[in-house]
Amino acid sequence: GRMLDEDLIEELEAAGVAFGHDWLAGVERYTATLEHLASWGIVAAAPDTQRGLVPSVLTLAHDLGATLDVLCDVRLGSGDISVARQKLGVAGHGFGASAAVFAAGGVGTHVEVKAAAAVFPSITKPSAEAAAAALRIPGLVLATPDDATSLRTDALEVGQAWDGAVLRVVDKAHVGELAEKRGLARLLGVPASSNRTQRTVRALLTGFLLFHLTGDKTYREFADADAAFPRTGRPDPDAEPPTDEDRI
């Protein structure tokens, strides 16, 4: 990543993103991901709510929306950096990815969400697939290779229901890998090494958001469904739809 100096951020007005955590994973397990976004000039904030055994996807979506409202109302740094209301996005992982889809549709906020990203979205009630079908903003949906037969995720269904979404499969990824491990190094404040899935997801997420939130055409390919990236692929268009038995 890179660090944008405050003068540049002030001139551009920063893009802002609210990020949703996975089930039973607190926001502290996304520290490196949020720091990566920040290093590219994107102000990232994550509500540390709905961490119980039976969380509500709609409540977390509401909290993501409320987080966007807060981002727009606070001054950052020494007080001379602000988040532009026309540069807002939502993103999330697993359960938080599904919440981000609902937040993109306006749950919990009165500000306009310009783009959204869902990393390995979880199966939820109500369904993120149904919410995605109503969206009319650009989206990025990332799936694991086993998504079609997974009992936990429905990224392929979300991506296919979302008109205008870019759907990519992250090679050899597992659904929980974006959340950082709790280790002694992290407790001591030492940055933990990132796994391949984390590095790939962060790159795809950052490029997509930079293009859609800031309009920087340098990152146009990240929003192109036909563009090829290392360690990613596209869903097999000829694959048979999975049966209920396939998912067991």
Side-chain angles (χ1 to χ4, degrees):
R2 63 177 181 180
M3 290 300 298
L4 294 182
D5 61 61
E6 291 193 1
D7 290 339
L8 183 55
I9 295 177
E10 179 184 7
E11 178 185 348
L12 297 177
E13 286 197 298
V17 172
F19 188 92
H21 62 80
D22 196 10
W23 181 59
L24 297 181
V27 297
E28 70 277 359
R29 297 183 65 186
Y30 299 93
T31 300
T33 296
L34 298 176
E35 288 176 347
H36 182 84
L37 291 171
S39 75
W40 287 86
I42 299 172
V43 178
D48 199 21
T49 58
Q50 295 301 301
R51 293 182 55 167
L53 287 173
V54 189
S56 163
V57 69
L58 292 181
T59 301
L60 183 56
H62 186 280
D63 293 340
L64 289 171
T67 299
L68 291 180
D69 289 336
V70 171
L71 284 179
C72 291
D73 292 336
V74 299
R75 308 293 293 186
L76 306 170
S78 58
D80 52 4
I81 300 171
S82 62
V83 172
R85 285 186 174 269
Q86 69 274 21
K87 298 180 182 180
L88 296 174
V90 290
H93 170 226
F95 179 78
S98 297
V101 172
F102 284 99
V107 173
T109 182
H110 299 295
V111 299
E112 181 180 351
V113 175
K114 194 170 184 181
V119 180
F120 316 147
S122 297
I123 296 171
T124 58
K125 291 185 178 181
S127 166
E129 177 186 355
L135 293 177
R136 297 296 180 265
I137 62 172
L140 171 67
V141 180
L142 301 182
T144 57
D146 64 348
D147 182 88
T149 57
S150 172
L151 288 170
R152 182 175 173 186
T153 63
D154 60 353
L156 297 180
E157 290 90 339
V158 170
Q160 290 160 358
W162 190 341
D163 186 23
V166 174
L167 176 59
R168 304 190 195 281
V169 178
V170 180
D171 294 347
K172 299 181 180 179
H174 299 286
V175 64
E177 283 187 315
L178 184 59
E180 298 143 28
K181 293 182 179 179
R182 299 187 186 95
L184 180 60
R186 175 64 70 183
L187 292 175
L188 295 175
V190 179
S193 59
S194 299
N195 63 42
R196 183 171 66 174
T197 295
Q198 289 168 351
R199 293 192 297 270
T200 301
V201 168
R202 289 168 190 160
L204 295 172
L205 179 63
T206 303
F208 174 83
L209 292 172
L210 283 172
F211 176 72
H212 281 296
L213 300 187
T214 72
D216 190 333
K217 293 181 174 56
T218 306
Y219 307 100
R220 183 193 301 274
E221 287 194 2
F222 287 91
D224 182 353
D226 295 324
F229 291 93
R231 298 189 292 274
T232 64
R234 300 181 64 184
D236 182 358
D238 300 320
E240 292 289 332
T243 64
D244 291 341
E245 288 77 12
D246 292 331
R247 291 184 178 270
I248 298 176

